[in-house]
Amino acid sequence: MTSEVDAVGRLPEEWREAMQRLGEKPFRAEQVFRWIHERGVLDPDQMTDLGKPLRERLKADGFAPPAKVAEVHAAADGTRKLVLELAHGARVECVIIPMTDLADDADASAAPEDDEEDAAEATEKTRITLCVSTQYGCAMGCVFCASGQAGLQRGLTASEIVSQVLVSKRYLQPNEELKNLVFMGMGEPLHHYDETARAIRLLTHPLARGMSPRRITVSTVGLVPGIARLGADFGGKVGLAVSLHAPNDDIRDRIMPMNRKFPIVELMRALREYPLPMRRRITIEYTLMDHVNDGEAEARELVTLLRGLRVKVNLIPMNPISASELKAPSGARVAAFQRVLSEAGLSCFVRTRRGDEVSAACGQLAIADDLVRKKRERDALRESNKP
Ligand code: SAH
């Protein structure tokens, strides 16, 4: 490969340089960029308006599709999970989620400026949210999360992140439309900022009629410098979701190691400073764990903590993972927690589980669980080899 950035990860200006190197006219750059990012064509042979010599040169330049679909699983509720194989043995899952449940409707209404646009479109289309990964494994170490327990294997390139979207689009039904993209799969997007930001630039590029940044949500454990960077680089247009999961440092330190580095006061300051557009809200994710963070006292503390912030709260009863004994609270405890928030006027939804049977619900991504098992086997082996 002659360029540091691989073909699918190149921005138009980088394509212009690449074309110059290949002795081609600059307008070819735009053509190739649109083939990839507007039409999702990742094979130069299918770029029919390019001459054969250029197609051959692109292939010789190292143009290869960054992801291969290894498995497709469909759940009865319409959720589909694709397992993609990437370079160097990395595997990630992308989850295609039809938006039909209450919480999703509520999410949509939280962004009223989108509604006019939606009304103008064919209303029968099923809106799809796509969940993508930014890393293979994760370095953040959250105790309730399978990826966190697996540890970081490697970050994905922008090209691998974007490919998850391009490939998933091929699995949409004609009546489905990709509406929202959430960076809520494996990994911590803000711990892998450069490739994440590049992926967002590629996905939103006007040249390929990319999606609006408002339809993209980046979910983070709360890496304060990363939140500031994201806000500055995209002017607050990219949606922000924060995995809070606790109303105080005491609890949060125990379940999310990153909190010791960026405690709640600093995180709250970063959220207040995020240049959120009018009428938009930050999503607060709160995974409920039985008798860990789910008491009414914690709910009241959460209300106080979030006062004055433009937020909506997503409550997620924890999905069980093999690496942890922690579990979801009873329905009654979930309801009691939610009642405290709602009565205090916080907009708050319990996220219903989607695609449980294909193991696509957050935090229990099967691949992450698999990584945990392998890690345990390695650790056990090391232990048994000790003198
Ligand atoms: N690193 C990012 C994005 C990946 S996780 C982040 O932490 O936000 C996406 C969401 O799933 C996060 O809110 C995460 O805390 C949550 N999650 C992880 N494991 C879970 C589990 N076992 N049950 C429920 N939610 C979980």
Side-chain angles (χ1 to χ4, degrees):
M1 204 169 314
T2 50
S3 162
E4 269 189 52
V5 183
D6 76 311
V8 179
R10 274 178 209 150
L11 289 156
E13 53 273 26
E14 291 161 340
W15 269 113
R16 278 191 283 275
E17 282 168 30
M19 288 303 174
Q20 206 169 18
R21 264 196 336 264
L22 298 174
E24 292 284 340
K25 296 255 169 22
F27 75 92
R28 295 289 180 201
E30 186 169 324
Q31 267 179 316
V32 176
F33 186 80
R34 291 181 58 193
W35 272 114
I36 301 170
H37 297 282
E38 189 171 352
R39 285 178 262 191
V41 170
L42 300 175
D43 173 7
D45 280 332
Q46 290 173 29
M47 301 181 179
T48 47
D49 58 1
L50 308 181
K52 186 139 192 342
L54 174 54
R55 284 186 258 155
E56 292 304 323
R57 249 173 267 150
L58 286 174
K59 284 192 279 180
D61 193 38
F63 195 142
K68 212 176 88 202
V69 180
E71 295 166 34
V72 183
H73 304 271
D77 66 4
T79 302
R80 273 145 288 160
K81 183 182 78 172
L82 306 182
V83 177
L84 300 187
E85 273 171 13
L86 311 172
H88 314 296
R91 283 156 74 85
V92 293
E93 292 165 326
C94 321
V95 191
I96 297 170
I97 311 159
M99 300 207 291
T100 48
D101 69 0
L102 244 174
D104 294 329
D105 291 345
D107 275 355
S109 70
E113 72 268 42
D114 291 350
D115 290 351
E116 282 168 38
E117 194 182 310
D118 290 348
E121 289 168 11
T123 44
E124 313 82 50
K125 287 233 169 180
T126 302
R127 298 150 61 104
I128 296 291
T129 294
L130 180 67
C131 175
V132 297
S133 300
T134 53
Q135 296 176 317
Y136 181 42
C138 182
M140 298 297 107
C142 302
V143 298
F144 49 85
C145 174
S147 309
Q149 294 309 298
L152 179 62
Q153 311 293 308
R154 74 170 174 90
L156 306 186
T157 61
S159 141
E160 290 172 325
I161 299 170
V162 169
S163 303
Q164 295 172 56
V165 181
L166 299 178
V167 170
S168 296
K169 275 185 177 170
R170 296 182 199 148
Y171 288 81
L172 299 186
Q173 309 289 333
N175 67 332
E176 291 178 332
E177 187 177 16
L178 179 63
K179 270 288 172 196
N180 298 301
L181 185 62
V182 294
F183 287 70
M184 288 187 190
M186 241 196 269
E188 167 52 45
L190 299 184
H191 180 234
H192 191 50
Y193 187 86
D194 290 340
E195 296 299 312
T196 296
R198 175 182 281 272
I200 296 173
R201 283 200 188 92
L202 292 164
L203 291 163
T204 58
H205 208 288
L207 200 55
R209 299 196 300 133
M211 65 196 303
S212 157
R214 289 178 295 128
R215 304 218 175 261
I216 298 180
T217 298
V218 169
S219 179
T220 176
V221 293
L223 300 184
V224 166
I227 294 173
R229 259 181 105 179
L230 187 74
D233 287 354
F234 297 97
K237 287 203 186 75
V238 171
L240 185 65
V242 176
S243 298
L244 188 60
H245 308 326
N248 59 52
D249 288 327
D250 205 32
I251 300 177
R252 203 163 190 265
D253 279 350
R254 269 184 280 139
I255 57 176
M256 302 179 75
M258 277 319 289
N259 193 65
R260 290 177 214 141
K261 197 154 177 204
F262 302 110
I264 290 180
V265 266
E266 285 182 35
L267 176 54
M268 290 300 135
R269 191 180 314 133
L271 299 192
R272 275 193 299 274
E273 286 168 4
Y274 193 75
L276 204 60
M278 291 263 292
R279 291 185 294 180
R280 298 285 292 194
R281 285 187 266 181
I282 292 172
T283 302
I284 299 292
E285 296 165 278
Y286 197 104
T287 295
L288 290 162
M289 296 162 229
D290 193 32
H291 287 88
V292 173
N293 63 352
D294 65 334
E296 290 186 43
E298 278 90 40
R300 282 191 293 272
E301 227 180 317
L302 187 61
V303 167
T304 309
L305 182 68
L306 297 178
R307 196 160 282 149
L309 268 175
R310 257 189 291 149
V311 294
K312 57 181 183 231
V313 181
N314 257 342
L315 298 175
I316 316 149
M318 184 188 156
N319 296 303
I321 61 166
S322 70
S324 169
E325 307 276 280
L326 297 171
K327 60 176 188 355
S330 66
R333 285 181 74 82
V334 174
F337 195 95
Q338 184 181 21
R339 201 175 314 120
V340 173
L341 303 194
S342 301
E343 282 175 6
L346 268 177
S347 104
C348 156
F349 309 97
V350 179
R351 197 195 284 169
T352 50
R353 296 191 186 189
R354 310 299 306 275
D356 258 8
E357 71 217 77
V358 294
S359 176
C362 15
Q364 57 168 12
L365 298 168
I367 291 171
D369 238 21
D370 207 43
L371 277 174
V372 173
R373 257 190 302 279
K374 284 187 190 136
K375 182 170 181 290
R376 280 185 178 165
E377 281 163 18
R378 276 198 313 273
D379 290 350
L381 196 65
R382 207 173 301 133
E383 200 57 36
S384 68
N385 284 342
K386 273 190 185 159

